[in-house]
Amino acid sequence: MFSLLIQAKTNKQIARALHLSDATVRSYVSEIFERTGFNNRGELTITAIKAGY
């Protein structure tokens, strides 16, 4: 999921790719933000790219 998230995929696109519901993806994305301390996808993506993802 993380790799799809930092590729700027929408929740719907991630859900389709992983055969999950939109609600499940929203929940996972929220959990990722909560655990990492980031507030949005842009911050997360920039940091991931700088880290070599």
Side-chain angles (χ1 to χ4, degrees), residues 12-52:
K12 187 170 284 205
Q13 290 170 322
I14 294 169
R16 280 191 210 125
L18 299 177
H19 305 286
L20 300 170
S21 72
D22 290 348
T24 299
V25 172
R26 276 194 307 273
S27 177
Y28 287 170
V29 170
S30 293
E31 187 67 25
I32 289 169
F33 288 151
E34 189 174 312
R35 288 181 183 220
T36 61
F38 292 105
N39 296 316
N40 61 60
R41 291 172 189 240
E43 291 177 1
L44 181 66
T45 301
I46 290 168
T47 301
I49 290 170
K50 287 180 179 178

